[in-house]
Amino acid sequence: MPGTEAILAEKGFLDYAIDPGMDLFAEIERLKKEKNAIILAHYYQDADIQDIADYIGDSLGLSQEAAKTGADVIVFAGVHFMAETAKILSPQKKVLLPDLKAGCSLADTCPPDQFKVFKEQHPGHTVIMYVNSTAEIKAMSDIVCTSTNAVAIVESLPKDEKIIFGPDKNLGRYVAKKTGRDLVLWDGACMVHEIFSREKIVKLKNRYPQAKLIAHPECEEPILKEADYIGSTTGLLKYTISSPDNEFIVATESGILHQMQKASPHKTFIPAPPDNNCACNDCPHMKRNTLEKLYLCMEYEQPKILLPEALMDQARKPIERMLEISAQKGL
Ligand code: 13P
Ligand code: SF4
């Protein structure tokens, strides 16, 4: 029989049989209390996971929560780089991820060896890296940012500061335009946000002339040009709540629609169509997490995030700088 490590390496989670009659919600609640565990979930998680989470948020909110929680165990319902960030901020805590293979195609576009060469080609630059990157990349950075604070972080630096921004070129281009800065961009992108079809969105806008197009800054420039509002997942959610409008075309991962619909049941949310024959815009990495895997990881306290101390110490500095600047700016 294969051991725990072998199962985790092959499957990413312990695929032990679960009684189909088990009330997973009740069991997860029990485990939360027994283990003093907190569930942090990103807005892109399945509705069931969002509903059982103690905190639901965007990447910035989740990092802030991970840094301040009093829980002994952080169960991170999100992707690998998010759980890594939580571990770096709370190294003494146990950080669990329901599926170790829940990665990020954007983070994968920036391998540390290639980024090292890129940095050497641009000496004298301050490195601002989007949180959607590995711990190794964060350790090579000066400041980390998220989509909520990227503009504020670039603006916190002197106007003549030379800046490398990565790994998302679409967010980088958006931040450069917003701040009027000339950023050196790494050529990475997110597979979910890259796929929206401008043509189909324009047709949808004609069909729903009252609808506002709201988009995440990871979307490509032609989509952002059409958008009535651009913001992080939290920014988009807040916009739909405070806006007097009743119809929204949402250009980001579809998980966020659950909170939008819950907060404004009388409003209509239309997922922006991708440029393929499928009508869904799910992140396959985020959606690897399921309620069953959440239960299993809490019951067996596996898989957990383990990182070398020295790497965590190095990666913590740019993350803490981000949290300091965000606090100063009231974000
Ligand atoms: P935010 O959580 O900053 O909105 O970013 C979205 C995302 O792509 C997370 O992977
Ligand atoms: Fe990565 Fe994009 Fe998925 Fe976010 S939505 S986890 S950036 S692949």
Side-chain angles (χ1 to χ4, degrees):
M1 210 160 118
T4 308
E5 294 309 315
I7 302 175
L8 289 177
E10 192 199 334
K11 312 250 179 181
F13 66 103
L14 297 178
D15 66 337
Y16 298 156
I18 299 178
D19 174 358
M22 181 188 276
D23 179 346
L24 287 171
F25 284 94
E27 284 300 305
I28 291 170
E29 287 299 349
R30 174 185 63 81
L31 288 166
K32 271 198 223 177
K33 287 194 195 85
E34 255 176 49
K35 297 181 188 253
N36 188 25
I38 185 174
I39 301 180
L40 307 181
H42 191 270
Y43 286 124
Y44 295 165
Q45 291 294 288
D46 269 343
D48 277 352
I49 296 182
Q50 293 189 32
D51 289 345
I52 198 142
D54 298 288
Y55 177 87
I56 314 160
D58 69 356
S59 306
L60 177 63
L62 290 163
S63 309
Q64 290 166 329
E65 210 56 35
K68 70 175 188 211
T69 180
D72 295 318
V73 179
I74 299 174
V75 186
F76 214 111
V79 291
H80 196 271
F81 75 81
M82 295 179 172
E84 255 184 6
T85 306
K87 180 69 185 172
I88 294 165
L89 286 168
S90 289
Q92 72 290 359
K93 295 191 195 296
K94 204 170 267 177
V95 177
L96 307 173
L97 180 66
D99 188 330
L100 263 190
K101 291 188 191 260
C104 168
S105 60
L106 170 56
D108 290 346
T109 62
C110 195
D113 54 335
Q114 289 177 30
F115 189 66
K116 184 171 177 285
V117 175
F118 187 74
K119 260 186 83 172
E120 284 162 5
Q121 286 165 348
H122 300 92
H125 284 63
T126 296
V127 178
I128 302 182
M129 286 313 262
Y130 195 28
V131 71
N132 300 36
S133 52
T134 59
E136 287 79 4
I137 291 292
K138 289 185 178 82
M140 295 163 81
S141 314
D142 297 297
I143 321 179
V144 164
C145 74
T146 74
S147 56
T148 291
N149 57 25
V151 168
I153 283 177
V154 168
E155 280 176 344
S156 74
L157 299 176
K159 277 210 154 49
D160 57 352
E161 188 127 345
K162 294 195 275 183
I163 299 171
I164 290 176
F165 188 99
D168 191 89
K169 65 179 172 195
N170 294 313
L171 175 65
R173 214 181 285 120
Y174 167 75
V175 173
K177 205 167 153 194
K178 275 287 233 193
T179 59
R181 308 280 180 110
D182 197 11
L183 307 177
V184 176
L185 302 182
W186 177 263
D187 187 13
C190 156
M191 61 182 285
V192 179
H193 290 89
E194 242 190 349
I195 206 168
F196 294 115
S197 157
R198 181 186 169 276
E199 202 186 317
K200 287 188 193 170
I201 287 176
V202 170
K203 277 192 197 153
L204 208 53
K205 280 182 102 176
N206 289 336
R207 228 173 102 204
Y208 297 91
Q210 306 300 326
K212 292 280 179 276
L213 173 66
I214 58 173
H216 195 280
E218 284 177 25
C219 293
E220 290 187 324
E221 205 171 16
I223 307 293
L224 296 182
K225 272 194 178 143
E226 295 291 332
D228 297 290
Y229 176 78
I230 299 168
S232 70
T233 41
T234 299
L236 298 178
L237 175 62
K238 283 186 181 161
Y239 181 83
T240 61
I241 294 170
S242 62
S243 163
D245 295 294
N246 283 317
E247 289 178 347
F248 303 89
I249 301 168
V250 185
T252 190
E253 212 268 0
S254 55
I256 185 70
L257 268 70
H258 180 57
Q259 292 305 322
M260 289 178 173
Q261 201 67 76
K262 259 175 110 167
S264 309
H266 58 291
K267 298 189 181 183
T268 303
F269 301 98
I270 308 154
D275 194 12
N276 58 23
N277 296 327
C278 166
C280 79
N281 32 25
D282 282 352
C283 170
H285 312 290
M286 287 277 183
K287 297 302 199 269
R288 282 187 74 96
N289 296 328
T290 61
L291 215 50
E292 285 76 11
K293 291 180 192 174
L294 191 64
Y295 161 75
L296 286 169
C297 88
M298 291 177 76
E299 175 70 22
Y300 298 101
E301 303 193 2
Q302 288 281 9
K304 57 175 172 281
I305 302 293
L306 295 171
L307 291 166
E309 288 291 332
L311 176 63
M312 288 201 280
D313 290 346
Q314 197 58 34
R316 193 173 303 116
K317 292 175 206 158
I319 303 172
E320 284 183 344
R321 242 186 120 185
M322 166 184 86
L323 294 177
E324 279 157 29
I325 299 170
S326 299
Q328 282 160 18
K329 308 271 176 189
L331 294 170

